[in-house]
């Protein structure tokens, strides 16, 4: 891939949901394809499956 | 690749002759929208990564571009021609090839709404883009050439004809009644309820009173917002949930993944004041009138622009609610 990647958090996603829990930010990473076209990757934390526990 | 204005209608039309050569219904193992899998014989796809969540990239075969070539024909004062200036993006919903919109998990659709909002802001900030149009063509019946779950976004250099007409109608309503036309329609539909397919505290999905197509559905936030960036997190989650309900209801009613065009109607990004007239809606236009019959756009629709509907909107809504 050509060119530097830019990674920014989307400010639209810092709002809280109806649950009052802050939404995790959507991360945007911009890049260029080999032929010069723009490509943007959006990523976010996948929800944990029911019953999943965080390790200490 | 150019834009030409039709003298008789005053409408600009897009010409993209290079799109005749675009990838046409490849097999799943040759899908250009899947991730590029590692391996010595792996072919590079449009996404040079082994996995992704949601991706947006410039269309390889664009109808509009930031640096379009000069027009191929000379125009005139009566019939002007212009470069196809604008944007054409592809939005990949998932790196899974075998899933449709209705099969996406709710969190992903919620994030897709965020991505649409972000692209509205990014493309709308470009001076050459006057209207950001996000849409999905789903299924062969509406001309899909790639099965991988994806949508598209066009950044038009002018407001497309249908949207311009609707905004004009909304402006006349605002001038006469002092209120948003879509807000008033939504209140009517919610109070009546006969055409409501699904609803929650933030949004309503309904078959329009005078639907053009038998199973047309509009999903509209209750909040008066012209575009997705005006919605908060709760409204976005609600919108995502209703989009899944509608697409799920389509598939359940017809017994197969129903082809449709899904279109986001949002405020123009031309710097004008659309605060009183533009009200975000997501419009589904399926072409089926029954499981084995298509609603063809023929004489009345194609030639006259007068839609003839074979199904009562109240019956369509009841069927989509799962009522016998």
């Amino acid at each position: 891939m050509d060119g530097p990647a830019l990674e920014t958090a989307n400010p639209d996603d810092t709002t809280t949901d109806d649950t009052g829990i802050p939404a995790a930010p959507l991360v945007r990473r911009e890049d260029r394809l080999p032929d010069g076209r723009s490509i943007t990757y959006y990523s976010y934390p996948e929800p944990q499956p029911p019953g999943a526990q965080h390790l200490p | 690749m150019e834009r030409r204005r039709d003298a008789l209608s005053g409408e600009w039309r897009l010409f993209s002759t290079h799109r005749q050569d675009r990838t046409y219904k490849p097999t799943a193992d040759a899908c250009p929208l899947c991730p590029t899998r590692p391996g010595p014989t792996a072919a590079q796809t449009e996404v040079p990564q082994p996995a992704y969540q949601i991706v947006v990239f410039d269309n390889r075969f664009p109808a509009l571009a930031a640096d379009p070539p000069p027009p191929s024909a000379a125009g005139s004062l009566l019939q002007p021609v212009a470069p196809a200036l604008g944007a054409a993006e592809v939005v990949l919903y998932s790196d899974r090839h075998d899933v449709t919109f209705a099969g996406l998990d709710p969190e992903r659709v919620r994030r897709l709404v965020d991505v649409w909002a972000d692209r509205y802001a990014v493309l709308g900030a470009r001076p050459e883009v006057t209207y950001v149009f996000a849409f999905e063509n789903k299924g062969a019946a509406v001309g899909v050439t790639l099965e991988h779950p994806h949508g598209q976004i066009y950044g038009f250099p002018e407001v497309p004809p249908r949207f311009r007409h609707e905004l004009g109608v909304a402006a006349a309503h605002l001038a006469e009644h002092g209120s948003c036309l879509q807000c008033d329609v939504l209140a009517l539909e919610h109070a009546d309820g006969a055409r409501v397919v699904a609803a929650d505290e933030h949004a309503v999905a309904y078959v329009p009173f005078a639907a053009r197509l038998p199973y047309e559905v509009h999903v509209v936030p209750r909040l008066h917002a012209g575009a997705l960036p005006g919605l908060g997190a709760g409204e976005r989650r609600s919108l995502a949930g209703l989009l899944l309900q509608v697409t799920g209801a389509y598939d359940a009613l017809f017994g197969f993944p129903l082809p449709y065009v899904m279109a986001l109607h949002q405020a123009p990004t031309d710097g004008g004041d659309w605060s009183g007239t533009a009200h975000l809606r997501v419009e589904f236009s399926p072409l089926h009138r029954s499981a084995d019959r298509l609603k063809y756009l023929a004489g009345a629709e194609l030639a006259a622009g007068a839609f003839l509907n074979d199904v009562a909107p109240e019956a369509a809504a009841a069927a989509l609610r799962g009522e016998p």
Side-chain angles (χ1 to χ4, degrees), chain B residues 312 322-323:
Chain B
E323 297 172 7

Side-chain angles (χ1 to χ4, degrees), chain B residues 205-297:
Chain B
Y206 64 94
V207 179
F209 179 77
R212 295 174 308 150
L213 297 166
Y215 291 93
E216 179 177 341
V217 169
H218 294 183
V219 183
V220 182
R222 297 179 194 271
L223 180 73
H224 177 70
L228 285 170
L231 298 186
E235 284 107 8
R236 294 183 188 197
R237 187 168 296 282
S238 161
L239 181 64
L242 286 184
L243 296 181
L244 281 175
Q245 281 194 56
V246 170
T247 51
Y250 279 150
D251 295 355
L253 176 62
F254 284 84
F256 55 84
L258 184 70
Y260 58 71
V261 173
M262 175 174 64
L264 276 70
H265 293 228
Q266 301 190 82
T269 55
D270 59 353
D273 179 10
W274 300 99
S275 58
T277 47
H279 187 132
L280 167 69
R281 87 166 184 265
V282 183
E283 180 180 283
F284 286 93
S285 299
L287 290 182
H288 279 75
R289 58 188 171 94
S290 66
D292 57 356
R293 290 177 187 173
L294 285 171
K295 164 66 182 173
Y296 288 101
L297 303 188

Side-chain angles (χ1 to χ4, degrees), chain A residues 11-54:
Chain A
D12 288 343
D13 290 281
T14 58
T15 53
T16 59
D17 211 328
D18 287 348
T19 59
I21 302 170
L26 184 72
V27 176
R28 182 177 73 198
R29 185 171 66 85
E30 298 172 353
D31 211 331
R32 291 279 171 188
L33 293 168
D35 61 7
R37 286 179 293 142
S38 168
I39 185 167
T40 305
Y41 299 90
Y42 290 91
S43 58
Y44 58 92
E46 296 277 8
Q48 294 293 314
Q53 293 181 342
H54 292 285

Side-chain angles (χ1 to χ4, degrees), chain B residues 24-46:
Chain B
Y24 185 77
K25 296 184 177 177
T27 56
D29 59 354
C31 174
L33 306 184
C34 281
T36 298
R37 306 294 186 192
T41 60
Q44 171 118 343
T45 72
E46 290 285 55

Side-chain angles (χ1 to χ4, degrees), chain B residues 14-314:
Chain B
L14 296 173
F15 291 80
S16 309
T17 53
H18 60 293
R19 284 175 56 81
Q20 284 280 50
D21 300 324
R22 69 187 185 273
T23 311
Y24 185 77
K25 296 184 177 177
T27 56
D29 59 354
C31 174
L33 306 184
C34 281
T36 298
R37 306 294 186 192
T41 60
Q44 171 118 343
T45 72
E46 290 285 55
V47 187
Q49 295 290 327
Y52 61 80
Q53 288 180 302
I54 299 174
V55 172
V56 177
F57 61 88
D58 287 340
N59 196 322
R60 181 185 289 272
F61 302 97
L64 296 157
D67 54 350
S72 64
S76 64
L77 195 60
L78 191 61
Q79 300 188 121
V81 63
L85 186 64
E89 296 186 332
V90 178
V91 182
L92 303 184
Y93 300 163
S94 168
D95 61 3
R96 281 184 54 193
H97 181 85
D98 60 346
V99 67
T100 64
F101 187 99
L104 298 173
D105 67 80
E107 179 64 17
R108 184 172 297 268
V109 179
R110 162 72 178 83
R111 296 305 188 154
L112 180 60
V113 170
D114 288 340
V115 169
W116 284 333
D118 192 53
R119 300 320 296 172
Y120 178 88
V122 169
L123 294 178
R126 285 165 47 170
E128 73 273 21
V129 173
T130 291
Y131 196 95
V132 179
F133 176 47
F135 63 100
E136 178 191 354
N137 298 329
K138 178 193 163 193
V142 295
V144 168
T145 55
L146 299 172
E147 288 185 350
H148 195 106
H150 72 286
Q152 300 182 61
I153 302 176
Y154 281 5
F156 282 102
E158 72 285 318
V159 182
R162 183 162 171 247
F163 303 149
R164 187 173 65 242
H165 175 75
E166 288 189 351
L167 289 164
V169 173
H173 181 88
L174 178 67
E176 187 174 352
H177 302 283
S179 57
C180 163
L181 176 56
Q182 178 66 81
C183 286
D184 290 351
V185 167
L186 199 59
L188 265 180
E189 291 296 343
H190 188 247
D192 184 299
R195 288 169 296 278
V196 172
V197 176
D200 67 12
E201 63 178 309
H202 292 302
V204 180
Y206 64 94
V207 179
F209 179 77
R212 295 174 308 150
L213 297 166
Y215 291 93
E216 179 177 341
V217 169
H218 294 183
V219 183
V220 182
R222 297 179 194 271
L223 180 73
H224 177 70
L228 285 170
L231 298 186
E235 284 107 8
R236 294 183 188 197
R237 187 168 296 282
S238 161
L239 181 64
L242 286 184
L243 296 181
L244 281 175
Q245 281 194 56
V246 170
T247 51
Y250 279 150
D251 295 355
L253 176 62
F254 284 84
F256 55 84
L258 184 70
Y260 58 71
V261 173
M262 175 174 64
L264 276 70
H265 293 228
Q266 301 190 82
T269 55
D270 59 353
D273 179 10
W274 300 99
S275 58
T277 47
H279 187 132
L280 167 69
R281 87 166 184 265
V282 183
E283 180 180 283
F284 286 93
S285 299
L287 290 182
H288 279 75
R289 58 188 171 94
S290 66
D292 57 356
R293 290 177 187 173
L294 285 171
K295 164 66 182 173
Y296 288 101
L297 303 188
E301 295 85 3
L302 201 55
F307 278 76
L308 195 161
N309 194 332
D310 304 298
V311 179
E314 296 75 21

